[in-house]
């Protein structure tokens, strides 16, 4: 009997596993986005720290760049739609979230040799989360095209810097926590 | 507490159209609208968007909170932007500004150009949001996957989006149950107060079980899909969508709008407009 025609070690393969993890990640991200809007969970008011942002970097870091991108992009689109902001009203922010997840997913590929223990993996996850945020959210500067009324300095000071600071804090704390929680379960499931 | 896409537009004219036309309309509109800067043009765009929105038959009482949120955030963002730039941006950059008032304590100038830019921004965002609402409320959730498939996005991406929409109510329910479970143990994760770090730490008992539990549960979905040989060949879809005349009309109108907006942009005929009554 032959098994698993789709099994592939390539981080860019769109396997069943990637599709389901992306869907779970996007749904979780959307639900937490909606909840932070609907009931204002502590730490999620306006532009302050959004703890659920760490989910995005965790999914990218743990399941690869495709899962990271889809979690951020689709999750943000669906979350914006659930809150009533509109799926496409700020499409460049969704793209920025996707890019952050994608960059977080590249770290385990680049640094596989350095992640020799669960502890080192958690530290790498925290670093990956912060770097992914800094790089991915550069796409908010697409706002120069989407909103011609805003100039570079305005986007830098009112959008990029506050969001990057808040999201970096969430990513640095939440990503390693989730990595540490998921590792033993993942081993138990044989994944 | 239950998050889900409500099919609020059920039975409306727009909901009876092929969902692909609604998705394409939103896509063309998002490409077109940022190309227009003249607020007089954007007033016409808002009229088009609201006319289209009305066709979706979305009950006002069901979305008034979303509209209020949207208008407050858009208004705040546009105002902050205008205060920071003082109106010296976009088509007004380098022109002589008309100062209407000065705000203490830093002497921030309120200019006619800044107010004109606020109006432009609000009009644009309202229009985009109005066209975005039918995507959420006038497409039957079960039709989203087939629509994306028939837009030639392959089989896997539509399945992923379909799964996302189906997971949302389940996960929001799990979230609510986890909060209740923590409260039964005497721990309230939603309690206010404390530093941002302390609040983040307090949320760990929600994030971790919901996320890890969802991932462990995902294995069942993966196994079920693998057992049905998902992805090994062309997938068949039970639901087939068909474009009728109304659907084609929607696509044609929004495509024509995109062409017109691109023309106005390329020829420089839609620059920022200074509202005359502010300087008269």
């Amino acid at each position: 009997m032959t098994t698993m025609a789709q099994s592939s070690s390539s981080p860019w393969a769109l396997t069943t596993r990637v599709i389901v993890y992306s869907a779970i990640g996007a749904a979780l991200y959307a639900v937490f986005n909606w909840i932070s809007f609907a009931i204002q969970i502590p730490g999620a008011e306006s532009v302050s720290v959004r703890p659920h942002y760490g989910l995005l970097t965790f999914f990218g870091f743990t399941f690869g760049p495709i899962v990271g991108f889809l979690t951020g992009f689709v999750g943000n689109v669906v979350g914006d739609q659930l809150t009533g902001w509109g799926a496409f009203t700020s499409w460049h922010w969704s793209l920025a979230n996707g890019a952050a997840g994608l960059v977080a997913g590249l770290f385990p590929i680049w640094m596989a040799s350095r992640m020799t223990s669960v502890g080192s993996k958690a530290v790498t996850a925290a670093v990956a989360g912060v770097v992914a945020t800094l790089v991915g959210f550069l796409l908010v500067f697409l706002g120069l095209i989407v909103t011609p009324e805003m100039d570079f300095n305005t986007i830098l000071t009112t959008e990029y810097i506050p969001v990057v600071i808040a999201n970096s804090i969430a990513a640095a704390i939440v990503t390693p926590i989730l990595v540490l929680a998921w590792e033993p379960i993942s081993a138990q499931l044989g994944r | 507490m239950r998050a889900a896409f409500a099919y609020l537009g059920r039975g409306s004219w727009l909901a009876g159209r092929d969902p692909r036309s609604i998705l394409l309309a939103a896509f063309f509109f998002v490409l077109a609208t940022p190309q227009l800067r003249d607020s007089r043009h954007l007033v016409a765009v808002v009229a088009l968007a609201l006319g289209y929105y009305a066709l979706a038959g979305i009950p006002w009482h069901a979305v008034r909170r979303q509209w209020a949120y949207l208008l407050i955030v858009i208004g705040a963002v546009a105002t902050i932007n205008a205060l920071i730039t003082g109106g010296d941006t976009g088509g007004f950059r380098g022109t002589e500004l008309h100062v209407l008032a000065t705000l203490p304590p830093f002497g921030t100038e309120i200019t006619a150009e800044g107010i004109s830019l606020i109006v432009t921004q609000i009009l644009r965002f309202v229009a985009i949001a109005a066209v975005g609402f039918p995507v959420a409320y006038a497409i039957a959730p079960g039709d989203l996957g087939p629509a994306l498939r028939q837009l030639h996005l392959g089989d896997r991406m539509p399945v992923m989006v379909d799964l996302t929409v189906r997971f949302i109510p389940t996960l929001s329910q799990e979230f609510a149950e986890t909060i209740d479970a923590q409260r039964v143990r005497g721990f309230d994760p939603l309690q206010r107060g404390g530093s941002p770090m302390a609040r983040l730490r307090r949320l760990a008992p929600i994030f971790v079980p919901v996320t890890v539990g969802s991932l462990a549960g995902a294995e069942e979905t993966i196994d079920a899909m693998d057992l049905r040989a998902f992805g090994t060949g062309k997938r068949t879809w039970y639901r087939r969508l068909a474009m009728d005349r109304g659907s084609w009309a929607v696509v044609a109108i929004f495509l024509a709008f995109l062409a017109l907006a691109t023309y106005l942009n390329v020829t420089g005929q839609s620059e920022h407009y200074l509202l005359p009554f502010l300087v008269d």
Side-chain angles (χ1 to χ4, degrees), chain A residues 6 14 21 149 185 191, chain B residues 124 156 212 219 230 272:
Chain A
Q6 279 195 81
L14 203 56
Y21 283 148
E149 293 74 32
I185 295 166
R191 303 304 181 191
Chain B
R124 184 183 297 113
R156 296 169 191 230
V212 173
E219 294 299 323
F230 176 80
H272 287 118

Side-chain angles (χ1 to χ4, degrees), chain A residues 43-91:
Chain A
E45 295 88 357
S46 61
V47 273
S48 63
V49 178
R50 296 185 311 150
H52 56 277
Y53 175 77
L55 276 176
L56 163 59
T57 44
F58 162 73
F59 271 84
F61 184 82
T62 308
F63 303 114
I66 302 255
V67 174
F69 177 79
L70 292 174
T71 297
F73 182 71
V74 178
N76 204 64
V77 164
V78 175
D80 276 355
Q81 195 64 62
L82 281 172
T83 59
W85 180 250
F88 305 110
T89 310
S90 299
W91 58 267

Side-chain angles (χ1 to χ4, degrees), chain B residues 83 98-112 115:
Chain B
L83 288 175
H98 300 79
V99 180
L100 302 176
T102 305
L103 289 181
F106 302 112
T108 309
E109 291 177 338
I110 309 288
T111 62
I115 293 174

Side-chain angles (χ1 to χ4, degrees), chain A residues 6 14 16-17 21 32 35 37 40 45 51 55 78 81 83-85 91 149 154 158 173 185 191, chain B residues 30 66 69-70 81 84-85 89 120 124 136 156 168 175 192 197 200 203 207 211-212 219 226 230 272:
Chain A
Q6 279 195 81
L14 203 56
T16 309
R17 192 166 299 280
Y21 283 148
F32 283 121
I35 286 166
F37 164 76
Q40 285 290 312
E45 295 88 357
L55 276 176
V78 175
Q81 195 64 62
T83 59
W85 180 250
W91 58 267
E149 293 74 32
T154 312
T158 64
I173 294 172
I185 295 166
R191 303 304 181 191
Chain B
V30 163
Q66 277 100 323
Y69 166 72
L70 196 80
N81 181 34
I84 290 176
T85 62
T89 185
T120 307
R124 184 183 297 113
R156 296 169 191 230
I168 283 172
F175 180 84
R192 293 182 179 274
M197 294 298 173
L200 265 176
L203 284 169
F207 279 116
T211 305
V212 173
E219 294 299 323
D226 279 343
F230 176 80
H272 287 118

